[in-house]
Amino acid sequence: MTRVLGISGSLRRGSYNSALLRAATRLMPPDSSLEIASIRGVPLYDGDVEAQGIPAAVTQLKEAIVKADGVLLATPEHNNSIPGVFKNAIDWLSRPPADIKRVFGGKPFAIVGTSPGPFGTVLSQNAWLGVLRTLGTQTWFGGRLAIARAANVFDESGAIKDPLVEEQLKQFLAGYVAFLRRAAT
Ligand SMILES: Cc1cc2nc3c(=O)[nH]c(=O)nc-3n(C[C@H](O)[C@H](O)[C@H](O)COP(=O)(O)O)c2cc1C
């Protein structure tokens, strides 16, 4: 069984990116699963808070990453880059630096994203690349999924109503899981 951890970079109840991950749970290839984790509860990074100890929400997320075979980031885009709340969460996960190798080192990450605009998070996804490189991840580049005009793609309940996009997501997941299996051998 190949286990993927999906992390949405949005806190919004009606988030398109969280909806994308929920849709992905149903479209995973056979003998694989997607568990969704949340960045909710991760405080704003503050070195003084860190000096008191790593917050429980951060430790929990770190251990979920360690246990997963791969991590799928569903990123929104804010001002053509990574939303602050998402970057903040990853920054916390990189503390203390001595733990970066255990949590991120060689971990196969993948990035997807969706936005109501015409470019579907392309620039935010690109902005992640330097971060994932710095943390020593093994990010998969075999597929790309930036879903534009999200309001036309997701229905009121957050389900994907565009069959073409659903197929693209399915193909993306199949490619990523195949990569995870190759990485595990
Ligand atoms: C501060 C801010 C900046 C934004 N900048 C962009 C942007 O650069 N590109 C884009 O496609 N959408 C932008 N948006 C719109 C978001 O894509 C939209 O709010 C989206 O629904 C957020 O993702 P979510 O649905 O997962 O919460 C921005 C929204 C906010 C609040």
XYZ file of all heavy atoms in Angstrom, residues 4-6 10-11 15 18 46 52 57 71 79 88 93 97 108 118 120 124 129 154 172-173 175 179-180 182:
201
model
N -0.026 8.382 0.693
C 0.296 9.778 0.397
C -0.383 10.664 1.438
O -1.527 10.409 1.826
C -0.191 10.171 -1.024
C 0.050 11.643 -1.304
C 0.495 9.312 -2.085
N 0.336 11.681 1.874
C -0.247 12.680 2.772
C -0.511 13.935 1.948
O 0.401 14.477 1.319
C 0.740 13.000 3.907
C 0.209 13.973 4.959
C -0.784 13.271 5.874
C 1.355 14.556 5.788
N -1.761 14.394 1.930
C -2.116 15.614 1.210
C -2.249 16.766 2.191
O -2.902 16.633 3.227
N -4.834 26.065 2.385
C -5.904 27.022 2.673
C -6.636 26.637 3.949
O -6.882 25.454 4.192
C -6.906 27.049 1.513
O -8.000 27.891 1.825
N -7.011 27.642 4.724
C -7.778 27.404 5.952
C -9.279 27.570 5.708
O -10.093 27.243 6.564
C -7.338 28.397 7.036
C -5.884 28.257 7.508
C -5.502 29.437 8.396
C -5.694 26.951 8.266
N -12.617 26.015 0.677
C -11.392 26.037 -0.131
C -11.446 25.107 -1.345
O -11.740 23.911 -1.223
C -10.201 25.635 0.749
O -9.099 25.235 -0.045
N -8.608 22.468 -0.842
C -8.991 21.349 0.030
C -9.959 20.435 -0.718
O -9.888 19.207 -0.589
C -9.638 21.881 1.315
O -8.736 22.735 1.987
N 7.400 32.043 15.491
C 7.971 33.008 16.421
C 9.091 32.268 17.155
O 8.845 31.249 17.824
C 6.859 33.459 17.387
C 7.352 34.441 18.450
O 8.558 34.482 18.716
O 6.492 35.139 19.032
N 10.282 27.714 23.549
C 9.494 27.021 24.593
C 9.200 25.572 24.180
O 8.628 24.810 24.944
C 8.141 27.719 24.824
C 8.191 29.214 25.073
C 8.894 29.538 26.371
O 8.604 28.936 27.399
N 9.845 30.464 26.308
N 0.817 20.842 17.191
C 0.276 20.728 15.821
C 1.403 20.538 14.812
O 1.246 19.852 13.795
C -0.539 21.968 15.472
N 4.289 13.244 -0.188
C 3.486 14.376 0.286
C 3.007 15.194 -0.914
O 3.820 15.609 -1.753
C 4.300 15.277 1.244
C 3.455 16.455 1.715
C 4.810 14.478 2.436
N -1.010 36.720 -4.480
C -0.100 37.699 -5.096
C 1.048 37.020 -5.846
O 2.223 37.332 -5.670
C 0.398 38.694 -4.036
C -0.757 39.499 -3.482
O -1.587 40.015 -4.245
N -0.868 39.590 -2.168
N 4.263 29.607 6.201
C 4.488 29.611 7.650
C 4.481 28.188 8.204
O 5.309 27.821 9.038
C 3.399 30.453 8.320
C 3.474 30.410 9.837
O 4.364 30.988 10.430
N 2.548 29.680 10.460
N 7.615 23.394 10.106
C 7.964 21.974 9.937
C 9.464 21.780 9.732
O 9.977 20.680 9.911
C 7.198 21.379 8.738
C 5.673 21.318 8.880
C 5.030 20.884 7.571
C 5.269 20.369 9.999
N 16.386 22.735 12.682
C 17.080 22.374 11.444
C 17.659 20.952 11.475
O 17.718 20.291 10.441
C 18.204 23.415 11.344
C 17.742 24.562 12.167
C 16.873 24.017 13.251
N 9.570 12.195 -1.462
C 8.970 12.553 -2.756
C 7.723 13.430 -2.592
O 6.667 12.950 -2.207
C 8.611 11.199 -3.376
C 9.272 10.164 -2.523
C 9.392 10.765 -1.156
N -7.300 32.861 -14.129
C -7.016 32.193 -15.408
C -5.728 31.375 -15.435
O -5.478 30.655 -16.396
C -6.923 33.364 -16.393
C -6.527 34.538 -15.562
C -7.095 34.322 -14.204
N -4.441 29.477 -12.604
C -4.516 28.273 -11.774
C -3.330 27.956 -10.883
O -2.995 26.789 -10.732
N 2.505 30.243 -8.082
C 2.665 29.746 -6.709
C 3.381 28.399 -6.720
O 4.279 28.143 -5.906
C 1.281 29.639 -6.067
O 1.360 28.995 -4.841
N 9.203 25.644 -5.641
C 10.328 24.808 -6.059
C 11.595 25.077 -5.258
O 12.266 24.145 -4.809
C 10.582 24.969 -7.568
C 9.370 24.628 -8.456
C 9.731 24.755 -9.928
C 8.844 23.226 -8.146
N -15.485 23.150 -9.869
C -16.024 22.532 -8.660
C -17.482 22.951 -8.467
O -17.844 24.098 -8.721
C -15.217 22.971 -7.426
C -13.782 22.505 -7.465
C -12.801 23.280 -8.065
C -13.418 21.281 -6.912
C -11.480 22.854 -8.114
C -12.098 20.838 -6.951
C -11.127 21.629 -7.556
N -2.601 12.463 -13.070
C -1.537 13.039 -12.240
C -1.243 12.104 -11.068
O -0.079 11.781 -10.791
C -1.971 14.422 -11.720
C -0.913 15.127 -10.904
C -0.096 16.086 -11.491
C -0.725 14.829 -9.562
C 0.891 16.729 -10.749
C 0.267 15.470 -8.818
C 1.062 16.416 -9.416
N -2.293 11.647 -10.413
C -2.124 10.780 -9.237
C -1.489 9.449 -9.635
O -0.627 8.922 -8.921
C -3.478 10.545 -8.544
C -4.126 11.798 -7.956
C -5.569 11.502 -7.541
C -3.323 12.332 -6.771
N 0.549 8.910 -12.142
C 1.966 9.155 -12.420
C 2.769 9.333 -11.145
O 3.878 8.804 -11.005
N 5.714 6.943 -9.489
C 7.012 7.502 -9.084
C 7.356 7.095 -7.647
O 8.487 6.699 -7.347
C 6.943 9.030 -9.210
C 8.134 9.765 -8.651
C 9.349 9.753 -9.328
C 8.037 10.489 -7.466
C 10.441 10.442 -8.825
C 9.125 11.176 -6.961
C 10.329 11.156 -7.643
N 6.366 7.143 -6.770
C 6.596 6.757 -5.369
C 7.021 5.291 -5.287
O 7.888 4.925 -4.494
C 5.327 6.965 -4.532
C 4.882 8.419 -4.341
C 3.599 8.478 -3.536
C 5.979 9.218 -3.650
N 8.511 3.551 -7.644
C 9.884 3.421 -8.154
C 10.877 3.911 -7.096
O 11.917 3.298 -6.877
C 10.064 4.254 -9.439
C 9.431 3.633 -10.675
C 9.984 4.265 -11.959
N 9.778 5.709 -12.035
C 8.665 6.288 -12.452
N 7.623 5.554 -12.820
N 8.566 7.603 -12.498
